[in-house]
Amino acid sequence: MLYVIIVVVVLVALVGFVIVGFNKLRTTDIGAQEALGGIDVQLTRRADLIPNLVETVKGYASHESGVFEEVTKARAGVAAAAKGDDVPAKAAADQALSQALVKVNAVAEAYPDLKANVQFLDLQKQLAETENQISFARQYYNDAVATLNKLTQTIPWMLFTGIANVHKREFYDAPDGQDVAPTVKF
């Protein structure tokens, strides 16, 4: 009788441990997925602000069509990347849009009246706030991925990765060339 009780207690403890491990991995994976969604929200917000910025700048610099086309193309790339789960694609689209925005701001530098325009200044302020939120979202995602990756690669949690269908995720790394300022030619 004592043996039966011991076996039952051990089995209940083992089942409880498996449930805890499964839930811990799934919860952490869901947190990383939600954090990636936070990046998408901020990238989409920035992409939505850009048409207003471009239209404001166009009024002053209509002959700079190449810059505006590049911004439009980069914005479309961000929208497409936001629909998927490919983290490097999101980072590359983000980088392309950031470089296109640098070129728009360089165009604005050539027009003092534009730099004093209230709408332009407001849009720049909103973009700066969005950039800060994007930076925070990236860091939050990378922190969530670091936690998940630690779990998936350490004992005992790594024993449950197959059961929970949770695997190591990629960090949100800046694409190559992020540290080089884009060149602007008029």
Side-chain angles (χ1 to χ4, degrees), residues 29-178:
D29 189 51
I30 290 168
Q33 187 66 32
E34 287 174 357
L36 184 60
I39 293 173
D40 289 341
V41 166
Q42 296 308 321
L43 291 177
T44 302
R45 180 173 185 258
R46 180 176 64 178
D48 290 344
L49 286 172
I50 289 171
N52 296 331
L53 180 69
V54 167
E55 287 304 315
T56 303
V57 175
K58 268 186 184 178
Y60 287 86
S62 59
H63 60 282
E64 306 290 355
S65 63
V67 172
F68 303 130
E69 288 171 10
E70 186 176 335
V71 169
T72 302
K73 187 171 123 181
R75 183 176 177 267
V78 166
K83 293 178 183 174
D85 285 337
D86 185 3
V87 176
K90 289 177 193 289
D94 178 23
Q95 169 64 15
L97 188 57
S98 293
Q99 291 203 348
L101 282 175
V102 167
K103 292 177 182 178
V104 169
N105 286 327
V107 168
E109 288 294 320
Y111 299 90
D113 292 342
L114 174 60
K115 291 191 319 187
N117 181 300
V118 174
Q119 182 181 7
F120 180 75
L121 293 173
D122 182 52
L123 287 168
Q124 279 191 317
K125 179 182 173 194
Q126 289 180 45
L127 279 171
E129 289 172 1
T130 302
E131 291 298 329
N132 290 337
Q133 292 172 352
I134 290 170
S135 293
F136 175 77
R138 286 181 194 138
Q139 184 61 47
Y140 183 72
Y141 171 75
N142 282 341
D143 289 346
V145 167
T147 301
L148 176 66
N149 289 350
K150 285 176 194 170
L151 289 175
T152 61
Q153 297 176 10
T154 58
I155 295 175
W157 312 117
M158 68 187 286
L159 303 173
F160 304 114
T161 58
I163 297 169
N165 195 26
V166 173
H167 305 286
K168 181 179 175 182
R169 287 182 174 261
E170 293 181 62
F171 286 99
Y172 193 104
D173 292 326
D176 292 338
Q178 174 95 9

